[in-house]
Amino acid sequence: MHGWDSWIAIGDSFTEGMSDVGAQGHYVGWADRLAETMARQRPGLQYANLALRGKMLQEIIDEQVPIAVAAQPDLVTLCGGGNDIITPGTDVDDVAALFESAVVALRAAGSEVLVFTGPDPKVQPLLRRVRGKVAIYNGHLRAIAERHSARVVDLWSMTVLHDRRSWCDDRLHFSTEGHRRIALRAAEVLGVRVDEDWREPLPSEERKPWLRLRQDDLNWTTTHLLPWVRRQLMGESLGDGLQPKRPELQPYRAEDDRTASV
């Protein structure tokens, strides 16, 4: 049995659960999946998920970190900065300094902190353009974790995430399978018992013909890339007007329309 009685998850779309869609259309994601597993082993687990899609790191620090600091849960999971990194002109060192300020505040409040490195984006045509920035940011994150005794889930080293099937159609967010594997990896780092291994290779897949791949690229450009560029230019966010799905620490209860075990 793990030793966690309360957990607040903070961050952006990664922790909210895009694009792991549940039975009733709600996003599930690695955090809700892991929370269900943890609650089965420790009934009464208090859980909140404050993450919202599109949030920049400063917004996470301003809007979510103070709630976690005030609540002083046993555990806080923090992943942020990805939206900053992919924004042109952003200085990685500045983003890392902001991230460290959040870790310092959470550790000072007495919470254990679990952070996530960025995944290796080499399989995705948009994200691989910032692969170098992600690698530098990851170096900062590992150093921050070491300085402040935080735990680290190393997404970069997860080879299963190098498979396109671990990503959803927008090529920015993880698929249901990607979220499931990440939940298993986070459980391992936290010492939560699970019955599956995140390292298990995905089944072999027949390679698509070149023409089909180009058609997929065209569909992705019109359906996802161009709208993303427009939002960047207009200063809009997918999270505008939305509220966190689990805004307060409450005993976790499995809800069929949102959750699924890891």
Side-chain angles (χ1 to χ4, degrees):
M1 181 181 295
H2 64 83
W4 311 106
D5 288 318
S6 55
W7 165 25
I8 294 180
I10 61 180
D12 51 28
S13 58
F14 168 71
T15 301
E16 183 185 357
M18 291 179 73
S19 291
D20 179 14
V21 182
Q24 301 300 321
H26 299 286
Y27 289 129
V28 182
W30 69 267
D32 284 11
R33 289 173 174 274
L34 179 56
E36 181 173 355
T37 297
M38 293 172 68
R40 285 202 308 267
Q41 298 177 21
R42 201 173 187 89
L45 171 76
Q46 299 272 326
Y47 171 60
N49 190 325
L50 309 180
L52 272 177
R53 68 199 77 171
K55 289 296 181 181
M56 308 295 280
L57 183 55
Q58 188 65 64
E59 293 177 303
I60 294 170
I61 291 172
D62 292 343
E63 300 168 10
Q64 301 175 27
V65 170
I67 297 174
V69 167
Q72 297 182 309
D74 293 343
L75 173 68
V76 176
T77 55
L78 168 63
C79 186
N83 291 320
D84 301 75
I85 296 299
I86 65 175
T87 301
T90 302
D91 187 291
V92 178
D93 295 342
D94 291 343
V95 179
L98 273 178
F99 191 95
E100 184 163 18
S101 71
V103 173
V104 168
L106 294 167
R107 294 292 287 134
S111 297
E112 290 282 344
V113 176
L114 177 71
V115 303
F116 296 75
T117 70
D120 187 345
K122 67 180 179 180
V123 298
Q124 298 299 357
L126 175 62
L127 292 183
R128 69 180 172 220
R129 297 177 182 272
V130 295
R131 191 182 186 212
K133 293 177 70 174
V134 175
I136 294 170
Y137 190 51
N138 285 350
H140 279 299
L141 295 180
R142 295 185 187 98
I144 291 167
E146 182 176 354
R147 284 196 291 270
H148 303 289
S149 301
R151 306 187 189 210
V152 180
V153 176
D154 189 357
L155 300 183
W156 185 282
S157 67
M158 291 181 64
T159 55
V160 292
L161 300 183
H162 301 169
D163 191 304
R164 290 179 185 270
R165 288 171 291 177
S166 292
W167 299 74
C168 74
D169 290 343
D170 69 6
R171 303 182 182 181
L172 287 171
H173 301 99
F174 290 108
S175 65
T176 292
E177 182 62 18
H179 278 285
R180 190 182 72 83
R181 299 295 183 121
I182 293 166
L184 291 169
R185 179 73 176 100
E188 181 179 272
V189 173
L190 291 173
V192 177
R193 179 181 55 79
V194 291
D195 298 325
E196 297 177 273
D197 189 346
W198 61 267
R199 302 169 185 82
E200 186 69 26
L202 275 70
S204 59
E205 181 184 40
E206 184 177 351
R207 185 174 177 83
K208 292 182 179 180
W210 182 89
L211 181 58
R212 174 63 184 276
L213 291 173
R214 301 294 74 78
Q215 290 173 334
D216 289 347
D217 289 342
L218 179 60
N219 291 336
W220 169 76
T221 299
T222 56
T223 304
H224 300 289
L225 178 59
L226 294 180
W228 180 84
V229 171
R230 177 189 174 279
R231 289 194 299 272
Q232 292 291 305
L233 294 174
M234 299 296 292
E236 298 174 350
S237 169
L238 286 173
D240 289 345
L242 300 180
Q243 298 297 318
K245 60 182 178 179
R246 298 180 185 270
E248 299 178 353
L249 274 176
Q250 293 183 348
Y252 180 87
R253 292 182 296 273
E255 299 171 16
D256 292 339
D257 61 345
R258 288 188 179 180
T259 57
S261 64
V262 300

